[in-house]
Amino acid sequence: MSIALYPGSFDPLTVGHLDIIERAARLYDTVVVAVLHNPSKQGAFPVEKRLEFIERACAHIPGVRVEQFYGLLVDYARQVGASVIIRGLRAVSDFEYEFQMAQMNGQLCPGVETLFMMTKPEHAYISSSGVREIATFGGDVSAFLPPCILKDVQAALAAKRRESDGR
Ligand code: PNS
């Protein structure tokens, strides 16, 4: 059985991430979508919420598992029996970081390959950080998020802003 690991922060999941998951699920029996649980770095959404968003958005895709991991990615890849780490590439600007990460992971664990999937052109400019910023200030993020999580993401970020504004 072929298992691919698709790791990330997913803070929150975007339509770009979802497209990569859908395409990876056509290539591998199982795609483990793994959210990095980094206790020293608090994201905009708690990890549990991010997992829930991914689960909801991926409910229609057979073979997808949604999990969290802590520590080294290659250790987690070994743990789940993945032969491949999937990463999406949007633009040249992603390349340097991704290239370095792939090389280092390859050195740590030669048995696990990194596979890059190009994002669709219409998703190339979408980022979770951009979504967070736009939604925090009430902008329209409907083109960037899976419809089933849109309202919850918007509401959570708007509530966060009210809290920080002391309203
Ligand atoms: O969505 P992101 O933030 O680009 O994902 C980055 C992620 C989670 C894939 C990366 O930070 C990671 O793998 N972290 C786990 C720690 C690790 O293995 N670091 C060594 C990679 S060089």
Side-chain angles (χ1 to χ4, degrees):
M1 196 176 80
S2 59
I3 302 176
L5 181 62
Y6 181 42
S9 304
F10 304 109
D11 191 27
L13 179 88
T14 67
V15 287
H17 295 131
L18 185 58
D19 176 59
I20 297 285
I21 297 168
E22 283 169 344
R23 286 158 57 196
R26 280 186 228 127
L27 301 175
Y28 296 93
D29 297 319
T30 301
V31 176
V32 180
V33 182
V35 179
L36 175 66
H37 181 78
N38 184 350
S40 63
K41 193 179 146 206
Q42 178 80 27
F45 292 92
V47 169
E48 290 66 29
K49 203 74 205 161
R50 292 184 231 167
L51 294 166
E52 187 199 311
F53 287 154
I54 300 168
E55 259 156 22
R56 214 187 299 167
C58 293
H60 65 289
I61 315 170
V64 172
R65 258 164 46 201
V66 185
E67 298 174 358
Q68 57 179 296
F69 78 105
Y70 170 71
L72 284 182
L73 178 61
V74 288
D75 289 341
Y76 197 65
R78 278 198 205 98
Q79 195 182 312
V80 300
S83 54
V84 164
I85 292 166
I86 305 271
R87 294 287 290 171
L89 273 185
R90 290 168 299 188
V92 181
S93 51
D94 281 342
F95 182 78
E96 206 170 326
Y97 168 67
E98 294 295 338
F99 183 69
Q100 187 185 25
M101 197 160 71
Q103 301 278 3
M104 291 174 103
N105 285 334
Q107 176 68 37
L108 290 174
C109 187
V112 177
E113 199 61 61
T114 299
L115 180 87
F116 293 108
M117 296 180 75
M118 302 301 153
T119 56
K120 283 188 181 158
E122 61 266 38
H123 296 151
Y125 62 96
I126 301 174
S127 69
S128 295
S129 56
V131 166
R132 292 197 301 271
E133 191 158 311
I134 295 167
T136 296
F137 295 102
D140 179 9
V141 286
S142 57
F144 314 137
L145 293 173
C148 63
I149 67 169
L150 175 63
K151 278 202 166 62
D152 285 357
V153 170
Q154 281 175 320
L157 290 171
K160 231 174 149 147
R161 181 177 172 212
R162 283 196 299 275
E163 204 180 288
S164 71
D165 285 354
R167 286 191 270 142

